[in-house]
PDB file of all heavy atoms in Angstrom:
ATOM      1  N   ASP A   3     101.559  65.890 120.745  1.00  0.00           N
ATOM      2  CA  ASP A   3     102.829  66.611 120.930  1.00  0.00           C
ATOM      3  C   ASP A   3     102.621  68.097 120.861  1.00  0.00           C
ATOM      4  O   ASP A   3     103.231  68.859 121.630  1.00  0.00           O
ATOM      5  CB  ASP A   3     103.830  66.212 119.762  1.00  0.00           C
ATOM      6  CG  ASP A   3     104.315  64.799 119.996  1.00  0.00           C
ATOM      7  OD1 ASP A   3     104.207  64.187 121.083  1.00  0.00           O
ATOM      8  OD2 ASP A   3     104.880  64.193 118.985  1.00  0.00           O
ATOM      9  N   GLU A   4     101.759  68.531 119.961  1.00  0.00           N
ATOM     10  CA  GLU A   4     101.435  69.948 119.820  1.00  0.00           C
ATOM     11  C   GLU A   4     100.763  70.523 121.117  1.00  0.00           C
ATOM     12  O   GLU A   4     101.040  71.601 121.609  1.00  0.00           O
ATOM     13  CB  GLU A   4     100.518  70.250 118.647  1.00  0.00           C
ATOM     14  CG  GLU A   4     101.190  69.994 117.298  1.00  0.00           C
ATOM     15  CD  GLU A   4     101.284  68.460 116.958  1.00  0.00           C
ATOM     16  OE1 GLU A   4     100.612  67.645 117.641  1.00  0.00           O
ATOM     17  OE2 GLU A   4     102.026  68.161 116.012  1.00  0.00           O
ATOM     18  N   GLU A   5      99.836  69.707 121.635  1.00  0.00           N
ATOM     19  CA  GLU A   5      99.121  70.117 122.884  1.00  0.00           C
ATOM     20  C   GLU A   5     100.067  70.196 124.044  1.00  0.00           C
ATOM     21  O   GLU A   5     100.016  71.133 124.876  1.00  0.00           O
ATOM     22  CB  GLU A   5      97.967  69.170 123.162  1.00  0.00           C
ATOM     23  CG  GLU A   5      96.789  69.294 122.187  1.00  0.00           C
ATOM     24  CD  GLU A   5      95.806  68.150 122.360  1.00  0.00           C
ATOM     25  OE1 GLU A   5      96.179  67.063 122.829  1.00  0.00           O
ATOM     26  OE2 GLU A   5      94.654  68.321 121.877  1.00  0.00           O
ATOM     27  N   PHE A   6     100.964  69.197 124.150  1.00  0.00           N
ATOM     28  CA  PHE A   6     101.918  69.205 125.266  1.00  0.00           C
ATOM     29  C   PHE A   6     102.850  70.340 125.146  1.00  0.00           C
ATOM     30  O   PHE A   6     103.289  70.966 126.195  1.00  0.00           O
ATOM     31  CB  PHE A   6     102.659  67.847 125.290  1.00  0.00           C
ATOM     32  CG  PHE A   6     103.567  67.730 126.500  1.00  0.00           C
ATOM     33  CD1 PHE A   6     103.004  67.697 127.762  1.00  0.00           C
ATOM     34  CD2 PHE A   6     104.964  67.621 126.388  1.00  0.00           C
ATOM     35  CE1 PHE A   6     103.813  67.546 128.918  1.00  0.00           C
ATOM     36  CE2 PHE A   6     105.735  67.504 127.493  1.00  0.00           C
ATOM     37  CZ  PHE A   6     105.164  67.446 128.755  1.00  0.00           C
ATOM     38  N   ALA A   7     103.273  70.685 123.950  1.00  0.00           N
ATOM     39  CA  ALA A   7     104.180  71.814 123.706  1.00  0.00           C
ATOM     40  C   ALA A   7     103.488  73.075 124.187  1.00  0.00           C
ATOM     41  O   ALA A   7     104.163  73.992 124.793  1.00  0.00           O
ATOM     42  CB  ALA A   7     104.583  71.907 122.268  1.00  0.00           C
ATOM     43  N   MET A   8     102.186  73.189 123.979  1.00  0.00           N
ATOM     44  CA  MET A   8     101.418  74.376 124.391  1.00  0.00           C
ATOM     45  C   MET A   8     101.330  74.358 125.923  1.00  0.00           C
ATOM     46  O   MET A   8     101.503  75.476 126.592  1.00  0.00           O
ATOM     47  CB  MET A   8     100.021  74.322 123.805  1.00  0.00           C
ATOM     48  CG  MET A   8      99.169  75.526 124.197  1.00  0.00           C
ATOM     49  SD  MET A   8      99.803  77.126 123.548  1.00  0.00           S
ATOM     50  CE  MET A   8      99.421  76.887 121.786  1.00  0.00           C
ATOM     51  N   ILE A   9     101.117  73.236 126.596  1.00  0.00           N
ATOM     52  CA  ILE A   9     101.026  73.150 128.046  1.00  0.00           C
ATOM     53  C   ILE A   9     102.362  73.641 128.625  1.00  0.00           C
ATOM     54  O   ILE A   9     102.380  74.315 129.643  1.00  0.00           O
ATOM     55  CB  ILE A   9     100.738  71.707 128.474  1.00  0.00           C
ATOM     56  CG1 ILE A   9      99.301  71.283 128.129  1.00  0.00           C
ATOM     57  CG2 ILE A   9     101.019  71.524 129.937  1.00  0.00           C
ATOM     58  CD1 ILE A   9      98.276  71.895 129.055  1.00  0.00           C
ATOM     59  N   GLN A  10     103.483  73.287 127.988  1.00  0.00           N
ATOM     60  CA  GLN A  10     104.766  73.618 128.546  1.00  0.00           C
ATOM     61  C   GLN A  10     105.038  75.110 128.510  1.00  0.00           C
ATOM     62  O   GLN A  10     106.065  75.615 129.109  1.00  0.00           O
ATOM     63  CB  GLN A  10     105.854  72.881 127.714  1.00  0.00           C
ATOM     64  CG  GLN A  10     105.953  71.426 128.074  1.00  0.00           C
ATOM     65  CD  GLN A  10     107.085  70.730 127.374  1.00  0.00           C
ATOM     66  OE1 GLN A  10     107.311  70.883 126.182  1.00  0.00           O
ATOM     67  NE2 GLN A  10     107.874  69.957 128.136  1.00  0.00           N
ATOM     68  N   LYS A  11     104.148  75.887 127.903  1.00  0.00           N
ATOM     69  CA  LYS A  11     104.359  77.319 127.842  1.00  0.00           C
ATOM     70  C   LYS A  11     103.722  78.033 129.084  1.00  0.00           C
ATOM     71  O   LYS A  11     103.907  79.228 129.278  1.00  0.00           O
ATOM     72  CB  LYS A  11     103.759  77.930 126.565  1.00  0.00           C
ATOM     73  CG  LYS A  11     104.567  77.483 125.301  1.00  0.00           C
ATOM     74  CD  LYS A  11     103.940  78.118 124.071  1.00  0.00           C
ATOM     75  CE  LYS A  11     104.732  77.692 122.798  1.00  0.00           C
ATOM     76  NZ  LYS A  11     104.125  78.283 121.561  1.00  0.00           N
ATOM     77  N   HIS A  12     102.927  77.278 129.843  1.00  0.00           N
ATOM     78  CA  HIS A  12     102.195  77.975 130.987  1.00  0.00           C
ATOM     79  C   HIS A  12     103.149  78.619 131.992  1.00  0.00           C
ATOM     80  O   HIS A  12     102.787  79.683 132.540  1.00  0.00           O
ATOM     81  CB  HIS A  12     101.248  77.019 131.655  1.00  0.00           C
ATOM     82  CG  HIS A  12     101.837  76.018 132.621  1.00  0.00           C
ATOM     83  ND1 HIS A  12     102.308  74.799 132.228  1.00  0.00           N
ATOM     84  CD2 HIS A  12     102.126  76.138 133.947  1.00  0.00           C
ATOM     85  CE1 HIS A  12     102.786  74.179 133.311  1.00  0.00           C
ATOM     86  NE2 HIS A  12     102.625  74.921 134.364  1.00  0.00           N
ATOM     87  N   PRO A  13     104.371  78.096 132.245  1.00  0.00           N
ATOM     88  CA  PRO A  13     105.238  78.894 133.149  1.00  0.00           C
ATOM     89  C   PRO A  13     105.627  80.262 132.565  1.00  0.00           C
ATOM     90  O   PRO A  13     105.704  81.248 133.298  1.00  0.00           O
ATOM     91  CB  PRO A  13     106.503  78.036 133.242  1.00  0.00           C
ATOM     92  CG  PRO A  13     106.026  76.603 132.961  1.00  0.00           C
ATOM     93  CD  PRO A  13     104.968  76.797 131.898  1.00  0.00           C
ATOM     94  N   LEU A  14     105.831  80.377 131.250  1.00  0.00           N
ATOM     95  CA  LEU A  14     106.092  81.653 130.625  1.00  0.00           C
ATOM     96  C   LEU A  14     104.924  82.583 130.729  1.00  0.00           C
ATOM     97  O   LEU A  14     105.101  83.779 131.043  1.00  0.00           O
ATOM     98  CB  LEU A  14     106.506  81.454 129.150  1.00  0.00           C
ATOM     99  CG  LEU A  14     107.788  80.630 128.886  1.00  0.00           C
ATOM    100  CD1 LEU A  14     107.894  80.265 127.424  1.00  0.00           C
ATOM    101  CD2 LEU A  14     108.982  81.407 129.354  1.00  0.00           C
ATOM    102  N   TYR A  15     103.710  82.049 130.476  1.00  0.00           N
ATOM    103  CA  TYR A  15     102.544  82.894 130.603  1.00  0.00           C
ATOM    104  C   TYR A  15     102.316  83.381 132.022  1.00  0.00           C
ATOM    105  O   TYR A  15     101.969  84.553 132.219  1.00  0.00           O
ATOM    106  CB  TYR A  15     101.316  82.111 130.189  1.00  0.00           C
ATOM    107  CG  TYR A  15     101.254  81.609 128.730  1.00  0.00           C
ATOM    108  CD1 TYR A  15     100.562  80.477 128.353  1.00  0.00           C
ATOM    109  CD2 TYR A  15     101.982  82.296 127.749  1.00  0.00           C
ATOM    110  CE1 TYR A  15     100.543  80.021 127.017  1.00  0.00           C
ATOM    111  CE2 TYR A  15     101.962  81.815 126.440  1.00  0.00           C
ATOM    112  CZ  TYR A  15     101.261  80.702 126.029  1.00  0.00           C
ATOM    113  OH  TYR A  15     101.233  80.257 124.786  1.00  0.00           O
ATOM    114  N   GLY A  16     102.563  82.499 132.992  1.00  0.00           N
ATOM    115  CA  GLY A  16     102.382  82.926 134.372  1.00  0.00           C
ATOM    116  C   GLY A  16     103.337  83.926 134.826  1.00  0.00           C
ATOM    117  O   GLY A  16     102.972  84.931 135.456  1.00  0.00           O
ATOM    118  N   ALA A  17     104.607  83.826 134.424  1.00  0.00           N
ATOM    119  CA  ALA A  17     105.608  84.814 134.806  1.00  0.00           C
ATOM    120  C   ALA A  17     105.308  86.142 134.128  1.00  0.00           C
ATOM    121  O   ALA A  17     105.520  87.210 134.771  1.00  0.00           O
ATOM    122  CB  ALA A  17     107.021  84.358 134.347  1.00  0.00           C
ATOM    123  N   ARG A  18     104.756  86.135 132.939  1.00  0.00           N
ATOM    124  CA  ARG A  18     104.405  87.352 132.255  1.00  0.00           C
ATOM    125  C   ARG A  18     103.251  88.085 132.971  1.00  0.00           C
ATOM    126  O   ARG A  18     103.324  89.316 133.194  1.00  0.00           O
ATOM    127  CB  ARG A  18     104.011  87.084 130.818  1.00  0.00           C
ATOM    128  CG  ARG A  18     103.694  88.316 129.975  1.00  0.00           C
ATOM    129  CD  ARG A  18     103.401  87.907 128.527  1.00  0.00           C
ATOM    130  NE  ARG A  18     102.195  87.086 128.468  1.00  0.00           N
ATOM    131  CZ  ARG A  18     101.818  86.364 127.395  1.00  0.00           C
ATOM    132  NH1 ARG A  18     102.576  86.379 126.324  1.00  0.00           N
ATOM    133  NH2 ARG A  18     100.708  85.666 127.406  1.00  0.00           N
ATOM    134  N   LEU A  19     102.250  87.343 133.390  1.00  0.00           N
ATOM    135  CA  LEU A  19     101.133  87.937 134.097  1.00  0.00           C
ATOM    136  C   LEU A  19     101.581  88.526 135.422  1.00  0.00           C
ATOM    137  O   LEU A  19     101.158  89.642 135.790  1.00  0.00           O
ATOM    138  CB  LEU A  19     100.030  86.837 134.366  1.00  0.00           C
ATOM    139  CG  LEU A  19      99.208  86.374 133.179  1.00  0.00           C
ATOM    140  CD1 LEU A  19      98.381  85.174 133.575  1.00  0.00           C
ATOM    141  CD2 LEU A  19      98.339  87.534 132.753  1.00  0.00           C
ATOM    142  N   LEU A  20     102.458  87.823 136.125  1.00  0.00           N
ATOM    143  CA  LEU A  20     102.890  88.293 137.482  1.00  0.00           C
ATOM    144  C   LEU A  20     103.848  89.453 137.363  1.00  0.00           C
ATOM    145  O   LEU A  20     103.863  90.365 138.256  1.00  0.00           O
ATOM    146  CB  LEU A  20     103.545  87.142 138.224  1.00  0.00           C
ATOM    147  CG  LEU A  20     102.586  85.999 138.543  1.00  0.00           C
ATOM    148  CD1 LEU A  20     103.337  84.798 139.149  1.00  0.00           C
ATOM    149  CD2 LEU A  20     101.533  86.463 139.567  1.00  0.00           C
ATOM    150  N   LYS A  21     104.642  89.507 136.303  1.00  0.00           N
ATOM    151  CA  LYS A  21     105.514  90.646 136.090  1.00  0.00           C
ATOM    152  C   LYS A  21     104.688  91.924 135.805  1.00  0.00           C
ATOM    153  O   LYS A  21     105.019  93.005 136.295  1.00  0.00           O
ATOM    154  CB  LYS A  21     106.474  90.415 134.898  1.00  0.00           C
ATOM    155  CG  LYS A  21     107.425  91.512 134.702  1.00  0.00           C
ATOM    156  CD  LYS A  21     108.450  91.185 133.578  1.00  0.00           C
ATOM    157  CE  LYS A  21     109.472  92.343 133.407  1.00  0.00           C
ATOM    158  NZ  LYS A  21     110.422  91.999 132.328  1.00  0.00           N
ATOM    159  N   ALA A  22     103.640  91.746 135.031  1.00  0.00           N
ATOM    160  CA  ALA A  22     102.743  92.946 134.702  1.00  0.00           C
ATOM    161  C   ALA A  22     102.057  93.428 135.966  1.00  0.00           C
ATOM    162  O   ALA A  22     101.800  94.609 136.048  1.00  0.00           O
ATOM    163  CB  ALA A  22     101.727  92.503 133.674  1.00  0.00           C
ATOM    164  N   ALA A  23     101.816  92.473 136.941  1.00  0.00           N
ATOM    165  CA  ALA A  23     101.192  92.904 138.169  1.00  0.00           C
ATOM    166  C   ALA A  23     102.245  93.362 139.225  1.00  0.00           C
ATOM    167  O   ALA A  23     101.864  93.585 140.400  1.00  0.00           O
ATOM    168  CB  ALA A  23     100.351  91.744 138.726  1.00  0.00           C
ATOM    169  N   ASN A  24     103.508  93.412 138.813  1.00  0.00           N
ATOM    170  CA  ASN A  24     104.586  93.825 139.701  1.00  0.00           C
ATOM    171  C   ASN A  24     104.699  92.990 140.927  1.00  0.00           C
ATOM    172  O   ASN A  24     104.951  93.403 142.073  1.00  0.00           O
ATOM    173  CB  ASN A  24     104.372  95.300 140.163  1.00  0.00           C
ATOM    174  CG  ASN A  24     105.703  95.927 140.654  1.00  0.00           C
ATOM    175  OD1 ASN A  24     106.789  95.557 140.210  1.00  0.00           O
ATOM    176  ND2 ASN A  24     105.543  96.864 141.548  1.00  0.00           N
ATOM    177  N   ALA A  25     104.577  91.662 140.798  1.00  0.00           N
ATOM    178  CA  ALA A  25     104.687  90.683 141.884  1.00  0.00           C
ATOM    179  C   ALA A  25     106.121  90.569 142.314  1.00  0.00           C
ATOM    180  O   ALA A  25     107.043  90.902 141.508  1.00  0.00           O
ATOM    181  CB  ALA A  25     104.138  89.325 141.448  1.00  0.00           C
ATOM    182  N   ASP A  26     106.356  90.141 143.521  1.00  0.00           N
ATOM    183  CA  ASP A  26     107.707  89.882 144.030  1.00  0.00           C
ATOM    184  C   ASP A  26     108.499  88.940 143.135  1.00  0.00           C
ATOM    185  O   ASP A  26     107.885  87.991 142.584  1.00  0.00           O
ATOM    186  CB  ASP A  26     107.605  89.249 145.440  1.00  0.00           C
ATOM    187  CG  ASP A  26     108.925  89.035 146.106  1.00  0.00           C
ATOM    188  OD1 ASP A  26     109.653  88.099 145.760  1.00  0.00           O
ATOM    189  OD2 ASP A  26     109.255  89.829 147.056  1.00  0.00           O
ATOM    190  N   LEU A  27     109.784  89.185 142.930  1.00  0.00           N
ATOM    191  CA  LEU A  27     110.596  88.379 142.014  1.00  0.00           C
ATOM    192  C   LEU A  27     110.534  86.904 142.345  1.00  0.00           C
ATOM    193  O   LEU A  27     110.503  86.048 141.450  1.00  0.00           O
ATOM    194  CB  LEU A  27     112.028  88.869 142.051  1.00  0.00           C
ATOM    195  CG  LEU A  27     112.975  88.095 141.127  1.00  0.00           C
ATOM    196  CD1 LEU A  27     112.618  88.237 139.666  1.00  0.00           C
ATOM    197  CD2 LEU A  27     114.426  88.624 141.342  1.00  0.00           C
ATOM    198  N   ARG A  28     110.489  86.539 143.617  1.00  0.00           N
ATOM    199  CA  ARG A  28     110.475  85.101 144.016  1.00  0.00           C
ATOM    200  C   ARG A  28     109.152  84.466 143.637  1.00  0.00           C
ATOM    201  O   ARG A  28     109.128  83.286 143.240  1.00  0.00           O
ATOM    202  CB  ARG A  28     110.708  84.979 145.484  1.00  0.00           C
ATOM    203  CG  ARG A  28     112.109  85.220 145.913  1.00  0.00           C
ATOM    204  CD  ARG A  28     112.341  85.272 147.420  1.00  0.00           C
ATOM    205  NE  ARG A  28     111.670  86.448 148.017  1.00  0.00           N
ATOM    206  CZ  ARG A  28     111.627  86.672 149.299  1.00  0.00           C
ATOM    207  NH1 ARG A  28     112.258  85.866 150.133  1.00  0.00           N
ATOM    208  NH2 ARG A  28     111.100  87.751 149.786  1.00  0.00           N
ATOM    209  N   ILE A  29     108.084  85.243 143.649  1.00  0.00           N
ATOM    210  CA  ILE A  29     106.777  84.700 143.225  1.00  0.00           C
ATOM    211  C   ILE A  29     106.751  84.519 141.713  1.00  0.00           C
ATOM    212  O   ILE A  29     106.300  83.477 141.184  1.00  0.00           O
ATOM    213  CB  ILE A  29     105.662  85.649 143.677  1.00  0.00           C
ATOM    214  CG1 ILE A  29     105.556  85.686 145.194  1.00  0.00           C
ATOM    215  CG2 ILE A  29     104.322  85.223 143.045  1.00  0.00           C
ATOM    216  CD1 ILE A  29     104.524  86.689 145.691  1.00  0.00           C
ATOM    217  N   ARG A  30     107.353  85.421 140.976  1.00  0.00           N
ATOM    218  CA  ARG A  30     107.488  85.301 139.532  1.00  0.00           C
ATOM    219  C   ARG A  30     108.332  84.127 139.164  1.00  0.00           C
ATOM    220  O   ARG A  30     108.012  83.388 138.270  1.00  0.00           O
ATOM    221  CB  ARG A  30     107.995  86.616 138.970  1.00  0.00           C
ATOM    222  CG  ARG A  30     107.016  87.727 138.895  1.00  0.00           C
ATOM    223  CD  ARG A  30     107.616  89.111 139.010  1.00  0.00           C
ATOM    224  NE  ARG A  30     108.762  89.308 138.150  1.00  0.00           N
ATOM    225  CZ  ARG A  30     109.583  90.355 138.197  1.00  0.00           C
ATOM    226  NH1 ARG A  30     109.366  91.292 139.155  1.00  0.00           N
ATOM    227  NH2 ARG A  30     110.642  90.489 137.436  1.00  0.00           N
ATOM    228  N   ASN A  31     109.446  84.011 139.865  1.00  0.00           N
ATOM    229  CA  ASN A  31     110.368  82.874 139.566  1.00  0.00           C
ATOM    230  C   ASN A  31     109.696  81.496 139.846  1.00  0.00           C
ATOM    231  O   ASN A  31     109.967  80.534 139.120  1.00  0.00           O
ATOM    232  CB  ASN A  31     111.617  83.002 140.345  1.00  0.00           C
ATOM    233  CG  ASN A  31     112.615  84.039 139.794  1.00  0.00           C
ATOM    234  OD1 ASN A  31     112.519  84.351 138.607  1.00  0.00           O
ATOM    235  ND2 ASN A  31     113.543  84.508 140.600  1.00  0.00           N
ATOM    236  N   ALA A  32     108.883  81.485 140.836  1.00  0.00           N
ATOM    237  CA  ALA A  32     108.209  80.225 141.160  1.00  0.00           C
ATOM    238  C   ALA A  32     107.272  79.796 140.025  1.00  0.00           C
ATOM    239  O   ALA A  32     107.204  78.624 139.655  1.00  0.00           O
ATOM    240  CB  ALA A  32     107.388  80.350 142.460  1.00  0.00           C
ATOM    241  N   ALA A  33     106.598  80.775 139.434  1.00  0.00           N
ATOM    242  CA  ALA A  33     105.736  80.454 138.297  1.00  0.00           C
ATOM    243  C   ALA A  33     106.530  80.051 137.088  1.00  0.00           C
ATOM    244  O   ALA A  33     106.156  79.135 136.349  1.00  0.00           O
ATOM    245  CB  ALA A  33     104.836  81.673 138.019  1.00  0.00           C
ATOM    246  N   LEU A  34     107.613  80.678 136.903  1.00  0.00           N
ATOM    247  CA  LEU A  34     108.425  80.470 135.718  1.00  0.00           C
ATOM    248  C   LEU A  34     109.310  79.152 135.807  1.00  0.00           C
ATOM    249  O   LEU A  34     109.509  78.477 134.810  1.00  0.00           O
ATOM    250  CB  LEU A  34     109.436  81.673 135.516  1.00  0.00           C
ATOM    251  CG  LEU A  34     110.421  81.549 134.346  1.00  0.00           C
ATOM    252  CD1 LEU A  34     109.646  81.492 133.006  1.00  0.00           C
ATOM    253  CD2 LEU A  34     111.392  82.698 134.354  1.00  0.00           C
ATOM    254  N   GLN A  35     109.717  78.811 137.010  1.00  0.00           N
ATOM    255  CA  GLN A  35     110.701  77.735 137.197  1.00  0.00           C
ATOM    256  C   GLN A  35     110.202  76.449 137.881  1.00  0.00           C
ATOM    257  O   GLN A  35     111.010  75.532 138.084  1.00  0.00           O
ATOM    258  CB  GLN A  35     111.887  78.283 137.967  1.00  0.00           C
ATOM    259  CG  GLN A  35     112.610  79.487 137.295  1.00  0.00           C
ATOM    260  CD  GLN A  35     113.672  80.060 138.207  1.00  0.00           C
ATOM    261  OE1 GLN A  35     114.020  79.561 139.288  1.00  0.00           O
ATOM    262  NE2 GLN A  35     114.249  81.203 137.800  1.00  0.00           N
ATOM    263  N   HIS A  36     108.913  76.349 138.221  1.00  0.00           N
ATOM    264  CA  HIS A  36     108.527  75.178 139.023  1.00  0.00           C
ATOM    265  C   HIS A  36     108.542  73.882 138.211  1.00  0.00           C
ATOM    266  O   HIS A  36     108.415  72.772 138.824  1.00  0.00           O
ATOM    267  CB  HIS A  36     107.126  75.394 139.639  1.00  0.00           C
ATOM    268  CG  HIS A  36     106.008  75.468 138.643  1.00  0.00           C
ATOM    269  ND1 HIS A  36     105.682  76.607 137.918  1.00  0.00           N
ATOM    270  CD2 HIS A  36     105.128  74.505 138.222  1.00  0.00           C
ATOM    271  CE1 HIS A  36     104.664  76.358 137.163  1.00  0.00           C
ATOM    272  NE2 HIS A  36     104.325  75.079 137.306  1.00  0.00           N
ATOM    273  N   HIS A  37     108.801  73.921 136.928  1.00  0.00           N
ATOM    274  CA  HIS A  37     109.025  72.679 136.143  1.00  0.00           C
ATOM    275  C   HIS A  37     110.488  72.463 135.764  1.00  0.00           C
ATOM    276  O   HIS A  37     110.823  71.583 135.041  1.00  0.00           O
ATOM    277  CB  HIS A  37     108.141  72.652 134.895  1.00  0.00           C
ATOM    278  CG  HIS A  37     106.701  72.320 135.212  1.00  0.00           C
ATOM    279  ND1 HIS A  37     106.329  71.027 135.539  1.00  0.00           N
ATOM    280  CD2 HIS A  37     105.575  73.107 135.190  1.00  0.00           C
ATOM    281  CE1 HIS A  37     105.002  71.033 135.792  1.00  0.00           C
ATOM    282  NE2 HIS A  37     104.550  72.267 135.532  1.00  0.00           N
ATOM    283  N   GLU A  38     111.349  73.365 136.242  1.00  0.00           N
ATOM    284  CA  GLU A  38     112.782  73.128 136.026  1.00  0.00           C
ATOM    285  C   GLU A  38     113.267  72.043 136.998  1.00  0.00           C
ATOM    286  O   GLU A  38     112.679  71.838 138.048  1.00  0.00           O
ATOM    287  CB  GLU A  38     113.564  74.440 136.304  1.00  0.00           C
ATOM    288  CG  GLU A  38     113.194  75.637 135.409  1.00  0.00           C
ATOM    289  CD  GLU A  38     113.603  75.491 133.978  1.00  0.00           C
ATOM    290  OE1 GLU A  38     114.230  74.451 133.621  1.00  0.00           O
ATOM    291  OE2 GLU A  38     113.344  76.403 133.182  1.00  0.00           O
ATOM    292  N   ARG A  39     114.297  71.361 136.640  1.00  0.00           N
ATOM    293  CA  ARG A  39     114.812  70.262 137.472  1.00  0.00           C
ATOM    294  C   ARG A  39     116.360  70.448 137.592  1.00  0.00           C
ATOM    295  O   ARG A  39     117.041  70.952 136.720  1.00  0.00           O
ATOM    296  CB  ARG A  39     114.481  68.915 136.811  1.00  0.00           C
ATOM    297  CG  ARG A  39     113.029  68.536 136.721  1.00  0.00           C
ATOM    298  CD  ARG A  39     112.438  68.418 138.111  1.00  0.00           C
ATOM    299  NE  ARG A  39     111.002  68.132 138.033  1.00  0.00           N
ATOM    300  CZ  ARG A  39     110.039  69.032 138.257  1.00  0.00           C
ATOM    301  NH1 ARG A  39     110.348  70.324 138.470  1.00  0.00           N
ATOM    302  NH2 ARG A  39     108.766  68.724 138.203  1.00  0.00           N
ATOM    303  N   PHE A  40     116.853  70.047 138.784  1.00  0.00           N
ATOM    304  CA  PHE A  40     118.266  70.277 139.134  1.00  0.00           C
ATOM    305  C   PHE A  40     119.253  69.631 138.157  1.00  0.00           C
ATOM    306  O   PHE A  40     120.367  70.023 138.059  1.00  0.00           O
ATOM    307  CB  PHE A  40     118.540  69.840 140.549  1.00  0.00           C
ATOM    308  CG  PHE A  40     118.451  70.960 141.517  1.00  0.00           C
ATOM    309  CD1 PHE A  40     117.439  71.895 141.517  1.00  0.00           C
ATOM    310  CD2 PHE A  40     119.451  71.171 142.453  1.00  0.00           C
ATOM    311  CE1 PHE A  40     117.394  72.959 142.356  1.00  0.00           C
ATOM    312  CE2 PHE A  40     119.421  72.191 143.394  1.00  0.00           C
ATOM    313  CZ  PHE A  40     118.382  73.111 143.373  1.00  0.00           C
ATOM    314  N   ASP A  41     118.831  68.566 137.412  1.00  0.00           N
ATOM    315  CA  ASP A  41     119.706  67.943 136.465  1.00  0.00           C
ATOM    316  C   ASP A  41     119.578  68.544 135.072  1.00  0.00           C
ATOM    317  O   ASP A  41     120.166  68.035 134.139  1.00  0.00           O
ATOM    318  CB  ASP A  41     119.457  66.396 136.427  1.00  0.00           C
ATOM    319  CG  ASP A  41     118.022  66.113 136.004  1.00  0.00           C
ATOM    320  OD1 ASP A  41     117.236  67.073 135.734  1.00  0.00           O
ATOM    321  OD2 ASP A  41     117.670  64.914 135.871  1.00  0.00           O
ATOM    322  N   GLY A  42     118.803  69.667 134.985  1.00  0.00           N
ATOM    323  CA  GLY A  42     118.676  70.292 133.641  1.00  0.00           C
ATOM    324  C   GLY A  42     117.595  69.695 132.792  1.00  0.00           C
ATOM    325  O   GLY A  42     117.511  70.100 131.598  1.00  0.00           O
ATOM    326  N   SER A  43     116.834  68.747 133.216  1.00  0.00           N
ATOM    327  CA  SER A  43     115.870  68.079 132.382  1.00  0.00           C
ATOM    328  C   SER A  43     114.511  68.725 132.339  1.00  0.00           C
ATOM    329  O   SER A  43     113.599  68.253 131.663  1.00  0.00           O
ATOM    330  CB  SER A  43     115.702  66.608 132.876  1.00  0.00           C
ATOM    331  OG  SER A  43     115.161  66.610 134.156  1.00  0.00           O
ATOM    332  N   GLY A  44     114.351  69.816 133.079  1.00  0.00           N
ATOM    333  CA  GLY A  44     113.054  70.469 133.096  1.00  0.00           C
ATOM    334  C   GLY A  44     112.830  71.489 132.010  1.00  0.00           C
ATOM    335  O   GLY A  44     113.572  71.585 131.047  1.00  0.00           O
TER     336      GLY A  44
END
């Protein structure tokens, strides 16, 4: 459970790296949101 909780942080880490590199907002959102789901379960 602890390892999976850590894995689930990778979208946050990715968005942070891309924001620091001044990437396009859509690219940053893709890193941050690709595990989100339309029913709110992501």
Side-chain angles (χ1 to χ4, degrees):
D3 290 343
E4 292 77 14
E5 290 169 338
F6 187 63
M8 182 65 72
I9 289 285
Q10 287 185 311
K11 292 181 180 180
H12 78 271
L14 297 169
Y15 297 154
R18 184 177 64 195
L19 287 170
L20 294 172
K21 183 177 181 179
N24 199 30
D26 184 283
L27 179 61
R28 288 173 291 180
I29 295 174
R30 285 151 45 191
N31 282 339
L34 179 63
Q35 301 174 5
H36 67 277
H37 282 289
E38 301 288 0
R39 297 293 179 259
F40 262 45
D41 60 359
S43 64

